[in-house]
C-alpha cells in the first residue's frame, strides 16, 4: 500500500495519466484528512478551484490542492512529534495517567478527523494549515468558550456523528466537531443545552 509521500509524487508527476494523478490525490486523503475524507476533498476542491466530480482537472489545480494538504500535514506531524516528546517526559517524571487532551489525541493520531466535519459541505474556509495551527494553539492553552477555529460561539451538541467520538459540540458556523478539551465545562454544558432547545 502506497504511503502519503509516494502518492504525492504521483500527483506531481507529469508522466502519470491525469486520472491516476487525481486518484492519487484522493488516496492521500486516506492517510491524512483533517475534516474527514469527504469534507477535506470538498475543501481542497473549493480552494484549488475545481469541481469535486471533475474527472479532467487542470494538473496545476491538483498540485495546488496537494500543496495545501502537504503544508497542513507538516503542521500536524510537527505537533505529533512535540506531543510524543511531552508524553515521554511526563512518563519519565512519573505522570502516567494521560489527561483529556491525550484521550482526544489518541482518537486523531495521524491527523484523520482532527477537525471532523460531519457534513462534507460545511467546513472552515481558511487554509488547512491555518485551521490546524488554531486548533493546536487551543489545545496548548486554557479551555475557552468558543470554537478555536472561527471563534464562533454557536456550539450545539450533536449525536450520531460519523466519527469517534460520535457525540460532541459542533460549531454551527464552521462545522467542526470541537475537541472537548479546548472548551470549558460551562461551554460544554451550554452546547448540550442548545441541543435540547433545538430538539424541543
Amino acid at each position: 500500500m502506497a504511503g502519503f509521500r509516494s502518492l504525492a509524487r504521483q500527483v506531481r508527476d507529469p508522466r502519470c495519466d491525469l486520472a491516476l494523478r487525481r486518484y492519487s490525490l484522493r488516496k492521500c486523503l486516506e492517510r491524512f484528512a483533517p475534516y474527514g475524507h469527504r469534507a477535506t476533498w470538498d475543501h481542497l476542491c473549493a480552494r484549488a478551484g475545481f469541481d469535486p466530480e471533475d474527472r479532467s482537472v487542470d494538473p496545476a489545480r491538483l498540485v495546488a490542492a496537494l500543496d495545501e494538504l502537504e503544508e497542513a500535514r507538516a503542521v500536524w506531524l510537527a505537533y505529533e512529534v512535540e506531543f510524543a516528546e511531552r508524553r515521554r517526559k511526563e512518563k519519565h517524571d512519573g505522570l502516567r495517567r494521560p489527561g483529556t487532551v491525550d484521550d482526544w489525541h489518541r482518537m486523531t493520531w495521524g491527523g484523520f478527523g482532527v477537525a471532523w466535519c460531519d457534513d462534507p459541505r460545511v467546513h472552515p474556509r481558511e487554509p488547512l494549515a491555518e485551521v490546524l495551527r488554531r486548533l493546536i494553539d487551543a489545545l496548548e492553552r486554557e479551555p475557552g468558550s468558543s470554537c478555536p477555529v472561527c471563534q464562533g460561539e454557536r456550539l450545539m451538541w450533536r449525536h450520531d456523528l460519523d466519527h469517534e467520538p460520535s457525540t460532541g459540540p459542533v460549531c454551527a458556523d464552521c462545522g467542526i466537531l470541537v475537541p472537548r478539551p479546548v472548551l470549558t465545562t460551562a461551554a460544554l454544558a451550554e452546547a448540550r443545552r442548545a441541543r435540547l432547545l433545538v430538539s424541543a
Side-chain angles (χ1 to χ4, degrees):
M1 177 160 48
F4 185 95
R5 285 183 292 185
S6 61
L7 289 166
R9 278 194 296 275
Q10 288 178 345
V11 175
R12 285 201 167 85
D13 190 345
R15 296 167 301 175
C16 287
D17 171 89
L18 184 57
L20 174 62
R21 294 174 75 178
R22 181 185 182 278
Y23 173 78
S24 296
L25 179 60
R26 290 294 301 254
K27 291 295 279 183
C28 283
L29 301 183
E30 291 178 11
R31 312 301 183 276
F32 180 72
Y35 302 154
H37 190 280
R38 290 174 35 209
T40 304
W41 177 249
D42 190 78
H43 170 87
L44 292 173
C45 293
R47 298 251 324 141
F50 61 92
D51 188 272
E53 300 303 320
D54 189 350
R55 299 284 187 240
S56 20
V57 182
D58 175 357
R61 293 183 188 274
L62 287 176
V63 171
L66 176 63
D67 287 344
E68 179 170 346
L69 189 63
E70 284 180 320
E71 183 184 359
R73 184 171 179 263
V75 168
W76 186 252
L77 291 177
Y79 170 71
E80 286 195 335
V81 166
E82 289 174 15
F83 177 88
E85 183 55 39
R86 177 180 62 80
R87 280 301 295 144
R88 253 190 309 279
K89 183 178 181 326
E90 287 174 350
K91 286 178 182 176
H92 180 267
D93 293 343
L95 181 61
R96 298 274 177 205
R97 189 170 181 192
T100 56
V101 171
D102 304 310
D103 291 339
W104 172 82
H105 190 265
R106 269 194 298 282
M107 289 184 273
T108 60
W109 189 260
F112 186 84
V114 172
W116 180 261
C117 296
D118 215 50
D119 182 341
R121 293 157 305 186
V122 180
H123 44 74
R125 301 290 176 234
E126 295 80 11
L128 281 172
E130 178 58 28
V131 168
L132 293 183
R133 283 186 196 100
R134 291 177 189 178
L135 193 60
I136 290 165
D137 287 347
L139 289 165
E140 295 174 343
R141 65 176 183 258
E142 290 298 312
S145 61
S146 61
C147 172
V149 171
C150 71
Q151 301 308 308
E153 294 189 359
R154 297 185 312 136
L155 305 177
M156 185 173 303
W157 202 266
R158 293 270 316 276
H159 291 278
D160 300 323
L161 297 171
D162 194 17
H163 185 60
E164 186 57 42
S166 61
T167 64
V170 172
C171 177
D173 297 314
C174 72
I176 74 159
L177 171 61
V178 179
R180 292 180 202 180
V182 307
L183 295 172
T184 63
T185 305
L188 290 168
E190 182 62 29
R192 284 186 179 96
R193 194 178 75 71
R195 181 203 176 268
L196 292 173
L197 290 175
V198 169
S199 307

